[in-house]
Amino acid sequence: MLYINIWAVIVAAIAMFAIGAVWYSVLFGKQWMKLSNIPMPNPMPPISSMFPSYAYYFLTTLVTSFILSKLISWFCNGSMTSALKLAFLIWLGFIAMLNLSGVIWEKKPWALYWIHAGCSLVAIFAATLILISWK
């Protein structure tokens, strides 16, 4: 078993979580809600009521960061370039392709697809940079 820096995994997960939070609130929040047919609550619910969703999402970023760390350690030999190539291939081959089902089968708009796919790409690149940089 290759060494995994658990602190790097945790920081990468926090970065992915933060990117998702900013992406779906500040950057594309209104477009995402509109394209997803999510009504804007008035008044906004308290953050505490959303804690279970935040906890589950953080768990997904933690698992993703751990698996990404394993894949980087197996295939990249410490190379930043090869780690970023691996991250892109993971995104393209799995994340981007699987997210297309929303467009194909659920008839979701392409704009919503690109919001999701863009967030995933930025998040996986950020996590990769953290994991490969933190020895």
Side-chain angles (χ1 to χ4, degrees), residues 76-109:
C76 298
N77 298 322
S79 165
M80 178 79 69
T81 302
S82 62
L84 289 171
K85 286 178 184 177
L86 176 66
F88 180 76
L89 290 174
I90 291 168
W91 173 81
L92 181 62
F94 298 100
I95 299 168
M97 294 300 107
L98 292 173
N99 281 338
L100 274 175
S101 65
V103 174
I104 296 167
W105 300 109
E106 299 170 21
K107 306 303 181 203
K108 300 284 184 180

Side-chain angles (χ1 to χ4, degrees), residues 4-6 9 37 40 55 58 68 72 116 118-120 128 133:
I4 297 296
N5 184 335
I6 194 65
V9 169
N37 295 318
M40 177 64 97
F58 182 71
L68 183 59
I72 289 169
H116 293 316
C119 181
S120 298
T128 299
S133 297

Side-chain angles (χ1 to χ4, degrees), residues 13 17 49-64:
F17 183 90
S49 69
M50 297 171 65
F51 181 77
S53 296
Y54 288 135
Y56 290 132
Y57 181 60
F58 182 71
L59 184 60
T60 67
T61 64
L62 197 57
V63 170
T64 300

Side-chain angles (χ1 to χ4, degrees), residues 24 31-33 35-36 108-117:
Y24 288 103
Q31 298 98 315
W32 168 68
M33 290 182 79
L35 293 167
S36 298
K108 300 284 184 180
W110 278 100
L112 183 60
Y113 168 79
W114 286 113
I115 289 172
H116 293 316

